Structure formats: structure tokens, C-alpha cells
Amino acid sequence: MTKLIRLLVPLLFLGLQCFANFDVNANCTKAYKCILQFKLKAARQAIDAEKSMHPQNSFAILLDDYYDYFWMLSTESKSDYDRLKENKSKRLNKLEDEDKASPYYNFALAQVNLHWALLHARFGDNSAAGFAINRAYKQLNENQKKFPAFLPDDIPLGMVNVALGALPDGALKSVLNIFGIKGSIASGISLLQNATQHLPKSAYAMYYDEAVFYTTYLQTDVVNDEQAYNKMLQYTNSMESSSLLKSYIQGYIALRTGHSAEAAHFLQKAPEGSEYQPYPYLDYLAGLARMNISDKSAGNYFNKFLQTNKGVNYIKDAYLHLAWEALLDGNEKRYNAFVQFVKTKGYTYNEKDKRALKEIAGAPYNTTLLQARLWFDGGLYEKALNILKIKDAGSFTAKDDKAEYYYRLARVYEATDKNTPALENYQQAIVTGKASNTYFGPMSALRAGNIYEQLKDSAKAVSYYKLAIDFKNHDQENSIEHKAKEGLKRLKK
């Protein structure tokens, strides 16, 4: 018996040593922070060192997945996606055998599923994305019940709730409907705001930058929060200036909220050096920002993006903007050359690239309307208004141009808090935009509904939301219809 015990004891200890754990030690914290700052070389070294020193640390598996996710964000490479996507199932299989008593167990599983759901959707693999979101959603809800004080859960759970609550009809939503999953925009934003508020003073402070990353994006692109830009400035103030993620957040949110001059400034100040992962998308954003403020250097940024980008997204849209630049300069030959590139270069995984093809399908853009559009996007509302007021609707022969004229004028008036002329011009755009496949009519109905909702005129708001839904077979139909239905839900109609 004694001999048997002597044989079994080492085996028992060996079993204990092989049992994996989630040890978020100093080395792991360093690796995670480097990933979030796009210092991927340093992150790789730290992860590999952790695996060597502590081979049973399961948190390294999650770090590997973060690494792949941020690598894919920076490269947008379809070949990299095809090469790396098999890592998802391998990591999930390893994590499923780990310590179920840890709050990091379901959190790690959910994060891997969520990373790949976002990447699957980015490359048009909606079925895989739907299944991954379903698994992540269930894992996060289970974790929240077991560990309600585990603050990092609020980040992915908040993001999933907002994304699901705002998802328009389409292939991905159809997949998710099979599982009966429905998110809530309000509860999702509440979770994310709770995370950004409480993480800095908690034991999980390292997750703050990730919370800011998702919160600012969703507040801007999904919720359309009027204070999104100011909130972004507040959130990013405490992020390290050496973080490339900080520059991306500031540049992207500024661009999307009509602060193109500020966006160009933020992106110009982005940290550089061999320690950072190349991120060509930032040059694309810089090109957009500079074109919106008529900065002649915009083309240089688009060309740099096209030369260094190895990914599949935004190629057609970059060529579209170069075509527009030539059109505004009156260079017809150059314009036609870029139009051909829009047709033949790049892919259509991304909505912007799909729209680029539609933009060049007909006659060249009316330069007055194009310039007004760009200046409006850049936040130069006075310039946009002045160029539009030089003409009137009668100056345009094409019906779609008339509808766009009214729509652009209304957008400027709305942005400058002049609701009466905004509503008048939206109404004209609705009438002129009937029987058209452009979005000017239905989008005008949606925005008129938004204005009346803000004015507490529920009856008119409901009427315009329903009118937006009644428009069929037009650009951005799913998105506009979804937002109109959300408006009706808010008004309980």
C-alpha cells in the first residue's frame, strides 16, 4: 500500500500542475495593453514569453485571439482571414476544458466567439457570424448571473445588446432570428457606460480602452448620440497618447460627427514607428476628412492607402473619392479613369464599396450637390448652405438631382437647428423623390419623423415614420425601415 501511495502522489501533483487557470498577471496585462495600442510585435513577444513561463495559463489563449482580432482589424486581409479563422475552434476547444469556476471561463469563450463573429460578418460569412453571436450572448448572460460583479462582462454584453437591437433586416438578422435573440440598445449602452465609468477605479482598469473603443463607436454609428463627439473627447482624455487606438477613435468619431478638421488633426498626430502595426485604414480616414474640408492633400492619403493596403475593404470607395476629386477639378479624363477603377478594383463585402458602385452607375455627380454633400459631412454647414442657395430646384433637370437638392438643403437647416425650413425641404424631397430608387425621399421622411419626435408632436412623427416605411425598392431600404420602426417603438405605435 505504501508503495502504491508513493506512486500515486506524484501523479496527483502532476494533475494539479496541469490544471489550467486564468492568471491575469503583469506579463499578460502588458501583452493586452500592447495589443490595444496596436503594438503587436511587443504583444507577440509578451504572449510567447507567458506561454513559455506559464504553459498552463489559459488567459494566454484569449490573448492569442485578441492578437488575431487586432491583426485582422489592421490588415483587412481576406487571405489572413482564411488562414486564421481555424484558430477559433481550436481555442474554443481548449478553453472549454478549463476552470469553469473562474469568471474568466465564460468571458474568454464569449470573447473568442464575438471576435470571430465580427470578423465573419466583415467578410460576408453571415451564418458563421450568427452562430458565434448566439453562443457569445448565452455565455455572457450565464456569466453575468454567476458573477454579477465581474465588470469586464459589461463590455461585450453591452456591445452585443446594442448591435442586436440595431441590426437591420438582412442575412445576419435572419440567422439570429432562428435563435430568438433580441438585443436592447438602451440596456446595451447602459452597460457600456457603466463600464467606462467604473473600470478606471476597479481591479479591471486595464479594460478601459476596450470599453471606450466599443462605446464611442456604437454611440456614433448606431445610437446617433448628439453628444457622441464630446463624450469621445472625455473618454479618450485619460488614454495614453502613445496608443494608436486612441488616434483611431478620435479620428473616426470626429469624422463621423461632422468634425473633419479635428479628425484630420487627430490622425496627423497619430504615433508612428516600427513598434506599431501598419494600419492603412487610418490613411483612408485621413483622406475622407481632408476631402470634406477641401484640403488638396486628400488624394495623397487615398493613394497611400491604396498602395499599402492589403485588405479587401474600402478600395472601391477610395477610388470613388479620387474620381470625385477629379470631377470637382474639372478633369474629365482623370475622372473616367478612376470610375473604371471603381468598377474593376476591390470587392463588395463592405456597404461603402457596394454604394461606390451605385454612385458611378449613372451620369457624373452634379458638382454643386457633390460639394455641398462633402462640406456638410465635414461640418462646414455655412459653406454647404451658401453653395446650395446659389441655385434653386429649377436649376436641376434630373428628378433625382431635384430630390437631392431639397434633401441636402434640409440637412443643413436641420444641423443648424432651423427646423421650419428643414421640414419644408424634407417635404419637397419626399414629393420629388417618389418613384425613385434613391434614398432622398425615404430618408427625408425618417428625418422629418425624428424632428417631430423631438418636438413632442407624436402624431406627425408617427405619420412620417410610417411614410418612410412605405417607400420600397430604394437604396438603404433595410437601414431606413429599421430606424423608422425603432421610432414607432419609441412612440409605442
Side-chain angles (χ1 to χ4, degrees):
M1 177 64 72
T2 305
K3 185 176 181 181
L4 179 60
I5 292 174
R6 284 202 303 269
L7 289 170
L8 287 176
V9 168
L11 292 175
L12 289 171
F13 277 102
L14 180 62
L16 288 173
Q17 290 169 348
C18 290
F19 186 77
N21 57 72
F22 293 93
D23 180 16
V24 189
N25 55 40
N27 194 46
C28 289
T29 300
K30 175 186 175 182
Y32 173 79
K33 288 183 175 180
C34 284
I35 292 170
L36 268 288
Q37 294 180 351
F38 285 93
K39 296 177 179 178
L40 297 190
K41 290 179 182 177
R44 182 74 270 157
Q45 291 173 356
I47 296 170
D48 290 343
E50 182 62 24
K51 288 179 176 181
S52 177
M53 292 185 294
H54 306 112
Q56 300 306 312
N57 187 358
S58 303
F59 196 76
I61 301 172
L62 179 57
L63 288 173
D64 268 336
D65 206 71
Y66 268 101
Y67 181 92
D68 281 358
Y69 178 59
F70 274 79
W71 174 274
M72 288 302 306
L73 288 182
S74 65
T75 67
E76 295 270 358
S77 169
K78 180 65 163 58
S79 60
D80 282 349
Y81 168 73
D82 291 335
R83 175 175 59 86
L84 295 171
K85 64 182 179 181
E86 298 303 320
N87 287 336
K88 179 180 75 169
S89 59
K90 294 176 183 177
R91 288 170 187 151
L92 290 173
N93 288 337
K94 288 181 181 178
L95 289 168
E96 284 170 355
D97 293 330
E98 308 307 354
D99 184 7
K100 293 180 175 61
S102 170
Y104 278 100
Y105 176 75
N106 274 316
F107 175 77
L109 288 169
Q111 286 287 57
V112 172
N113 274 312
L114 190 55
H115 289 162
W116 287 98
L118 295 170
L119 293 174
H120 289 323
R122 187 177 290 252
F123 290 97
D125 195 349
N126 291 307
S127 294
F131 281 102
I133 290 173
N134 175 54
R135 287 190 289 268
Y137 187 70
K138 290 180 178 178
Q139 288 156 349
L140 290 166
N141 277 303
E142 182 181 345
N143 216 41
Q144 193 178 52
K145 291 175 184 176
K146 286 185 176 180
F147 307 101
F150 187 62
L151 198 53
D153 270 344
D154 286 5
I155 303 170
L157 191 57
M159 189 183 71
V160 170
N161 266 284
V162 175
L164 292 175
L167 197 64
D169 292 337
L172 182 54
K173 189 170 185 177
S174 297
V175 175
L176 291 170
N177 283 340
I178 297 172
F179 305 113
I181 295 178
K182 293 182 180 179
S184 166
I185 294 175
S187 62
I189 287 295
S190 178
L191 285 167
L192 286 164
Q193 289 179 336
N194 180 65
T196 55
Q197 180 182 354
H198 293 105
L199 278 170
K201 296 181 180 179
S202 76
Y204 309 105
M206 72 183 228
Y207 293 101
Y208 177 76
D209 288 8
E210 185 176 357
V212 172
F213 178 37
Y214 291 123
T215 303
T216 54
Y217 170 78
L218 292 170
Q219 284 176 334
T220 302
D221 278 15
V222 177
V223 182
N224 298 316
D225 187 339
E226 292 183 357
Q227 294 300 313
Y229 177 73
N230 291 328
K231 288 179 180 178
M232 176 276 292
L233 292 177
Q234 179 184 349
Y235 291 146
T236 58
N237 186 53
S238 58
M239 292 176 68
E240 293 182 21
S241 297
S242 61
S243 172
L244 191 60
L245 180 65
K246 178 179 181 177
S247 297
Y248 163 73
I249 292 171
Q250 291 177 326
Y252 181 82
I253 303 304
L255 176 65
R256 293 287 293 143
T257 54
H259 297 83
S260 284
E262 292 87 346
H265 172 71
F266 288 135
L267 294 167
Q268 182 70 32
K269 289 176 60 181
E272 296 178 333
S274 58
E275 69 265 40
Y276 294 96
Q277 172 71 7
Y279 200 179
Y281 180 62
L282 298 187
D283 290 314
Y284 165 78
L285 293 179
L288 295 178
R290 291 172 183 274
M291 191 163 181
N292 288 345
I293 57 175
S294 297
D295 186 324
K296 294 298 183 182
S297 68
N300 296 335
Y301 287 91
F302 287 125
N303 283 319
K304 185 180 178 184
F305 165 74
L306 291 167
Q307 290 165 8
T308 59
N309 173 54
K310 296 179 181 179
V312 295
N313 294 322
Y314 309 107
I315 296 170
K316 289 183 182 296
D317 194 63
Y319 279 119
L320 173 67
H321 280 80
L322 288 170
W324 283 351
E325 184 181 57
L327 187 64
L328 292 171
D329 287 341
N331 192 329
E332 184 178 354
K333 182 178 179 181
R334 187 172 171 80
Y335 168 78
N336 289 328
F338 284 125
V339 164
Q340 288 304 310
F341 286 142
V342 175
K343 293 178 180 178
T344 59
K345 303 287 187 180
Y347 304 83
T348 53
Y349 295 110
N350 183 277
E351 280 301 318
K352 279 206 160 190
D353 291 319
K354 291 176 183 177
R355 289 179 193 173
L357 278 177
K358 291 182 179 180
E359 294 274 10
I360 53 91
Y365 212 136
N366 179 282
T367 53
T368 296
L369 297 175
L370 173 57
Q371 187 63 81
R373 172 180 174 175
L374 293 170
W375 278 338
F376 175 85
D377 288 345
L380 304 179
Y381 302 132
E382 186 175 350
K383 280 180 171 287
L385 181 61
N386 288 340
I387 195 173
L388 288 169
K389 289 177 72 173
I390 291 173
K391 297 191 175 185
D392 57 30
S395 305
F396 305 95
T397 55
K399 187 176 181 181
D400 287 349
D401 285 351
K402 290 179 187 289
E404 182 171 2
Y405 172 79
Y406 287 124
Y407 173 74
R408 298 289 169 207
L409 201 53
R411 289 297 306 273
V412 176
Y413 282 129
E414 182 186 357
T416 52
D417 298 319
K418 297 174 182 176
N419 287 336
T420 299
L423 289 167
E424 290 172 354
N425 282 281
Y426 279 139
Q427 182 59 40
Q428 290 292 337
I430 291 167
V431 173
T432 313
K434 286 182 178 178
S436 169
N437 64 357
T438 66
Y439 62 85
F440 306 121
M443 184 66 84
S444 292
L446 175 65
R447 299 202 70 86
N450 291 158
I451 292 174
Y452 280 119
E453 184 178 351
Q454 291 168 8
L455 294 173
K456 309 299 183 185
D457 191 336
S458 297
K460 285 186 177 178
V462 167
S463 175
Y464 277 101
Y465 285 143
K466 289 182 176 178
L467 181 58
I469 294 169
D470 287 341
F471 277 86
K472 298 298 178 185
N473 302 316
H474 58 81
D475 295 339
Q476 303 185 36
E477 182 173 353
N478 287 341
S479 175
I480 292 172
E481 185 171 319
H482 175 78
K483 290 176 181 176
K485 287 179 178 178
E486 286 296 312
L488 293 175
K489 285 181 185 177
R490 289 193 297 273
L491 298 169
K492 296 182 172 29
K493 295 292 182 179

